[in-house]
Amino acid sequence: SLSRPQRIPPINPRPRRFSSPEMSASHDVERYRQGYPGLQDNPEADRNLMFYQGKIKSEPMGDLIDNIHKEWHGDYKRLEIHHGYIQWLFPIREMGMNWDSQPLQKFEANKIKASPELMERFIRSYRLMLDFYGMVLENESTGKIKRGSNYRDRYDNLENRAHNWLRITRILKCMGELGLEHYKIKFIRHVLREFWENELRQCFQSLKNYWIPVIKSKDEREKIYAYFEELRARNEEKGETKGKKENGQQSGKEQS
């Protein structure tokens, strides 16, 4: 039988006293959802746009975006230990840990969104990372994803390499800046389904404190919370049915 914690807590936040990490997470996602009040564009900061246009390489020790898509795909060791590419593939309006990168400017995001060619590059960036995490983009229009054929090994890596949880938060935030809010929702729904299949359990705190909260629409967040409870109910019903069946089989053996 599957090994599960005694009780999975609700993920819908409730009024209470927050710990320092939770307060930090709440403040971080609130600034993001509000569009970073007071943050001004720098009209001369266009390195993310130039990278997506294929004009400059990522730094440090990086490459042109098309080369990354072609040559780094499936190179899991490089994608794991190289810490300077994720800020270029998925720029956000906050400064990350790579000081050779640049925060995304709103005018850059608008130009990327307006270009089918650049948005196609973004989708390829997403496919690259999904493969690294053991997932596949099943429907480019809706953003629906599924397990990849390599999921067992890649899920194990994702559960045991916490810096990838931060990368996923960045990816989700970037999606929102580029008008792919529905992609976030499909990713999170996939992770929730896997969670109740006893997969990706170590990601729970990031899922609860960051991944779901960066969904901008309160209504959509509420739908996700409801979906989580729906999956919980299905899981508990499945467990009860299995328990009754096993008890029935045991009773039959005793009578025989």
Side-chain angles (χ1 to χ4, degrees):
S1 62
L2 295 178
S3 173
R4 300 187 185 279
Q6 289 297 314
R7 177 66 178 169
I8 304 299
I11 54 175
N12 191 352
R14 300 179 181 184
R16 59 189 177 87
R17 293 178 64 88
F18 288 101
S19 66
S20 293
E22 288 173 319
M23 288 179 65
S24 177
S26 178
H27 176 72
D28 175 80
V29 298
E30 190 62 30
R31 282 192 74 233
Y32 168 78
R33 292 200 304 246
Q34 292 179 359
Y36 302 95
L39 185 61
Q40 300 296 318
D41 261 12
N42 178 352
E44 297 181 358
D46 62 355
R47 298 179 72 207
N48 296 300
L49 178 60
M50 292 180 69
F51 173 69
Y52 259 89
Q53 290 172 334
K55 295 178 179 179
I56 62 173
K57 295 181 179 182
S58 61
E59 297 177 2
M61 298 181 292
D63 209 335
L64 296 172
I65 188 168
D66 289 341
N67 291 341
I68 292 175
H69 291 156
K70 293 175 186 176
E71 298 172 13
W72 296 30
H73 190 97
D75 189 346
Y76 300 143
K77 182 176 181 180
R78 173 155 56 174
L79 291 172
E80 180 64 44
I81 66 175
H82 194 305
H83 296 288
Y85 69 91
I86 198 75
Q87 299 87 358
W88 292 86
L89 292 181
F90 301 97
I92 59 177
R93 298 184 65 206
E94 308 163 36
M95 190 66 209
M97 298 301 292
N98 179 2
W99 297 104
D100 290 320
S101 67
Q102 170 211 295
L104 179 69
Q105 308 300 304
K106 290 182 71 174
F107 79 87
E108 291 184 299
N110 290 336
K111 288 187 176 182
I112 292 173
K113 284 191 293 185
S115 168
E117 177 186 1
L118 303 191
M119 286 302 294
E120 179 56 35
R121 282 193 172 120
F122 179 82
I123 299 301
R124 288 201 291 271
S125 297
Y126 186 43
R127 289 184 184 276
L128 173 79
M129 295 309 294
L130 283 180
D131 176 71
F132 177 60
Y133 296 137
M135 306 172 195
V136 175
L137 182 61
E138 186 176 17
N139 187 312
E140 191 171 306
S141 176
T142 66
K144 183 180 179 181
I145 61 179
K146 64 180 181 179
R147 286 180 180 178
S149 59
N150 62 343
Y151 87 94
R152 178 68 283 142
D153 175 66
R154 303 318 308 158
Y155 276 18
D156 287 346
N157 185 77
L158 179 55
E159 290 213 80
N160 291 288
R161 300 290 189 273
H163 71 103
N164 282 301
W165 310 343
L166 299 175
R167 288 174 168 180
I168 288 173
T169 301
R170 168 178 284 273
I171 291 169
L172 296 175
K173 285 181 175 181
C174 185
M175 286 176 180
E177 302 293 358
L178 298 182
L180 293 173
E181 197 73 14
H182 59 296
Y183 268 41
K184 290 185 196 177
I185 295 168
K186 293 298 185 183
F187 178 87
I188 291 168
R189 286 175 69 92
H190 174 78
V191 173
L192 289 178
R193 289 192 298 269
E194 295 294 58
F195 180 87
W196 286 112
E197 291 294 328
N198 213 36
E199 303 285 357
L200 304 178
R201 286 296 175 100
Q202 297 301 320
C203 305
F204 182 75
Q205 290 301 319
S206 288
L207 173 68
K208 179 169 74 79
N209 293 331
Y210 288 97
W211 301 350
I212 294 173
V214 298
I215 295 174
K216 294 181 178 180
S217 166
K218 182 178 179 181
D219 287 345
E220 292 297 339
R221 292 197 302 275
E222 292 297 332
K223 290 178 184 178
I224 287 291
Y225 297 136
Y227 185 57
F228 181 82
E229 295 304 324
E230 176 187 332
L231 292 173
R232 182 204 299 276
R234 288 185 201 171
N235 182 268
E236 291 175 351
E237 181 179 354
K238 187 189 302 182
E240 291 174 1
T241 301
K242 182 179 179 181
K244 290 178 182 178
K245 184 176 181 180
E246 289 176 348
N247 290 337
Q249 291 174 343
Q250 184 64 32
S251 175
K253 289 180 182 179
E254 292 173 354
Q255 293 178 5
S256 63

